[in-house]
Amino acid sequence: MGVWRDAFSDLAGRGALVTGGSTGIGAALCLALADCGMAVAIHCNASRDAAEVLRARITAAAGTAIVVQGDVAADGVAAAVVEEAAARLGRLDLLVNNAGSILGRVPTTEVTPAFYRQVIDLNLNAVFASCQAAIPLMRRQGGGAIINTTSLAARMGGGPGTIGYAAAKAGVATMTRGLARELAPDNIRVNAVAPGFIQTPLHDRHTDPKMLEDFLPSIPLGRIGAPDDCVGAYLFLASERLAGYVTGQTLEVNGGILMP
């Protein structure tokens, strides 16, 4: 702990909520935000044990962290998670909408209406609901930052059996730009990070290792990314000092597989 503190010291003393914060990119980010001196609300759904381990790791290093739990895809839960985090932290300066999953690889002709709704609810509707709940809180504080996690899939259409996920993530990217315009007068910056092929529980559960291996030749940096590879992009966008004039942008973190 301590490696980020000097570069991002303007984050110290502020409050952050990271949805999907118990594993993968979210967990790496929670550690980094706490390292910067932020009080962090680690959101989880099914991964409560992992969230508690992460909380204990942060507090053992003299950081501040709490755990908030809930299925943000369910009606009303995303807003409740935001409100609980803000109440327990005492403020909410940063919202990172990171919760998401493909939920499974299903060919388009086999996707049921129920499965499609689940994918959209988790990856798109939950982001909207979290933002909607956070906006009044940030307005009362005089500003804040929202960072949404979109995906390489938003630009490339997704991998096999993930059309709904790709469409949802494209929606998140567009929502990010729209919110950035709407909320700029409130001093609320809204940006996104678009990870590429990152070794996370999503791929552990739903992607054959051979599929990831087959993508390697198309990645100029020649490797699958790790969660820590994404952290710097989020920290940059969170920092008012470094990114105070940045809003409505999506940072691509993909090893060069897509160069806008």
Side-chain angles (χ1 to χ4, degrees), residues 22-44:
S22 58
T23 62
I25 294 170
L29 179 58
C30 285
L31 288 170
L33 292 173
D35 201 21
C36 292
M38 295 195 84
V40 181
I42 306 163
H43 163 261
C44 64

Side-chain angles (χ1 to χ4, degrees), residues 11-239:
L11 298 177
R14 300 185 178 188
L17 166 63
V18 180
T19 70
S22 58
T23 62
I25 294 170
L29 179 58
C30 285
L31 288 170
L33 292 173
D35 201 21
C36 292
M38 295 195 84
V40 181
I42 306 163
H43 163 261
C44 64
N45 183 23
S47 302
R48 178 81 191 210
D49 289 347
E52 291 291 354
V53 168
L54 185 62
R55 181 196 62 77
R57 182 176 173 185
I58 290 171
T59 56
T64 300
I66 63 171
V67 173
V68 291
Q69 187 170 13
D71 179 5
V72 293
D75 288 347
V77 175
V81 164
V82 170
E83 290 161 6
E84 178 185 350
R88 293 175 61 190
L89 294 176
R91 58 187 297 124
L92 184 66
D93 302 280
L94 172 65
L95 167 64
V96 180
N97 285 304
N98 178 68
S101 174
I102 64 175
L103 298 180
R105 294 186 181 275
V106 183
T108 299
T109 55
E110 298 175 20
V111 171
T112 65
F115 179 80
Y116 184 78
R117 283 192 296 269
Q118 288 175 340
V119 171
I120 299 300
D121 283 343
L122 175 59
N123 294 288
L124 179 60
N125 294 342
V127 175
F128 176 81
S130 296
C131 291
Q132 190 176 46
I135 290 166
L137 300 172
M138 291 182 175
R139 280 175 171 159
R140 287 198 293 269
Q141 291 177 181
I146 297 171
I147 307 174
N148 298 320
T149 299
T150 177
S151 172
L152 175 67
R155 297 282 299 278
M156 297 187 69
T162 64
I163 292 296
Y165 175 82
K169 289 300 189 179
V172 169
T174 298
M175 185 189 303
T176 297
R177 292 189 290 272
L179 286 172
R181 291 182 183 278
E182 180 179 340
L183 301 179
D186 298 301
N187 194 34
I188 300 173
R189 297 180 299 106
V190 188
N191 292 287
V193 175
F197 292 102
I198 309 296
Q199 194 67 59
T200 65
L202 183 154
H203 287 302
D204 294 341
R205 287 192 293 265
H206 301 298
T207 304
D208 189 312
K210 179 66 163 57
M211 184 183 297
L212 290 178
E213 185 179 330
D214 288 344
F215 275 108
L216 279 176
S218 64
I219 301 175
L221 289 183
R223 64 178 177 87
I224 301 298
D228 282 343
D229 289 317
C230 300
V231 166
Y234 288 94
L235 291 182
F236 167 72
L237 293 173
S239 171

